[in-house]
Amino acid sequence: MSRSERLFDLLQALRLHRRPVSGKALAEETGVSLRTLYRDIASLQAQGADIEGEPGVGYVLRPGFLLPPLMFSAEEIEALVLGTRWVADRADSHLSGAARNALARIAAVLPADLRNELDTSPLLVGPGAKLPDDSIDVVLLRKAIRMERKLAITYRSGSGEASARTIWPFALSFFDHARVVIGWCELRESFRHFRTDRIETADVLDIRYPRRRQAMLRAWREAEGITLRGA
C-alpha cells in the first residue's frame, strides 16, 4: 500500500468516528503498526487536518478538511461516473447541473491517467421513462428539507381529489417513474408520501418543524421496516 493510500484510509477511518478513538483501534482498522499510525497522523496534521488528541487519549478529526488529490481505484472512479451520470439524467435540472459540475471539479484535480479513466468510463445509464412534469419547482422542496421548515401544499391524489396539507418534509426519493417527497402529514398525523408531479402548489413556511430531519428519517425507516445495508 502506498503512503497516499494509507493516509486516505486513515482519514476515512477518522471520519467514521465522531468521538475520540484510540491509536491502537485506528492502527487495527487501517492495518498498520502503531508507530506508522502516529507518523501518518503527524503527516495529516502537517497538511492541515484538524486532528485533536494524543497517544493514550485518542484522536478525533474536526470537520472541514480535504486532502490534496489522492488516488482513486478504477472501481471508485466508475462508481463516481455512473452515479453522476444517473443524477444528470434523472434528477431535476438544478441537480443535473450540480452533478456535472461536481464531476468536472473531481476531474480537474485528478492525475492525467485517472482523469482519462474518468473521461472514458464504459458504464452508461440507459434511457428511463419520461418523468411527469412538475407544477412546482423541486428546488423549493429541497430547500424546505434542508432548512427543516414546514411546507404548505395543495395535493391532488391519484383519483383526482385535491386537499390542502401541511407537511414536515425530510426526504426526497427518486424513482425511474416519479419523484416522491417523504414527510409527516399534520392532517393524517402520520408519515405520508407525495409525488412531486401531483403537488399543485407549495409554500415554505417560516416555521421549523419540531424534530430534526435525521430523527424523522430514522423514525420513518423504523415504521416502514427499512434496514440500511451494512447497519
Side-chain angles (χ1 to χ4, degrees), residues 49-220:
D50 189 5
I51 300 173
E52 296 182 359
E54 58 186 65
V57 176
Y59 298 91
V60 64
L61 173 68
R62 300 304 178 191
F65 175 69
L66 295 175
L67 273 178
L70 288 175
M71 300 288 287
F72 286 99
S73 70
E75 287 189 343
E76 287 170 339
I77 288 178
E78 287 182 338
L80 286 169
V81 173
L82 183 62
T84 305
R85 285 176 177 172
W86 193 96
V87 173
D89 183 69
R90 306 290 170 84
D92 61 83
S93 60
H94 292 273
L95 270 186
S96 295
R100 294 188 181 94
N101 289 341
L103 198 60
R105 289 191 182 194
I106 293 171
V109 297
L110 285 176
D113 57 334
L114 292 181
R115 187 161 57 248
N116 182 64
E117 289 281 347
L118 186 146
D119 292 337
T120 60
S121 173
L123 302 186
L124 307 176
V125 174
K130 185 181 182 303
L131 288 172
D133 293 330
D134 292 317
S135 300
I136 49 92
D137 190 348
V138 179
V139 172
L140 191 71
L141 305 179
R142 295 205 305 274
K143 177 182 177 182
I145 292 170
R146 282 197 305 270
M147 297 176 63
E148 299 179 340
R149 293 295 190 270
K150 293 186 179 185
L151 194 64
I153 65 172
T154 304
Y155 189 73
R156 190 168 296 278
S157 68
S159 62
E161 181 182 355
S163 61
R165 310 284 188 100
T166 298
I167 65 173
W168 309 352
F170 56 84
L172 184 61
S173 186
F174 292 79
F175 297 90
D176 280 341
H177 63 282
R179 288 184 285 262
V180 176
V181 178
I182 306 170
W184 178 267
C185 177
E186 292 187 352
L187 178 65
R188 303 301 186 198
E189 297 185 336
S190 63
F191 294 115
R192 285 291 189 269
H193 308 121
F194 303 92
R195 286 178 50 144
T196 61
D197 59 296
R198 294 177 182 169
I199 299 176
E200 297 185 337
T201 64
D203 294 297
V204 179
L205 304 180
D206 193 22
I207 305 172
R208 189 175 191 136
Y209 48 75
R211 298 181 65 188
R212 299 306 303 267
R213 68 172 184 269
Q214 294 91 341
M216 299 284 290
L217 185 58
R218 283 195 300 270
W220 170 78

Side-chain angles (χ1 to χ4, degrees), residues 32-67:
V32 299
S33 68
L34 199 54
R35 181 178 179 181
T36 298
L37 176 88
Y38 292 148
R39 188 166 59 243
D40 288 347
I41 286 177
S43 294
L44 286 174
Q45 290 172 327
Q47 293 185 51
D50 189 5
I51 300 173
E52 296 182 359
E54 58 186 65
V57 176
Y59 298 91
V60 64
L61 173 68
R62 300 304 178 191
F65 175 69
L66 295 175
L67 273 178

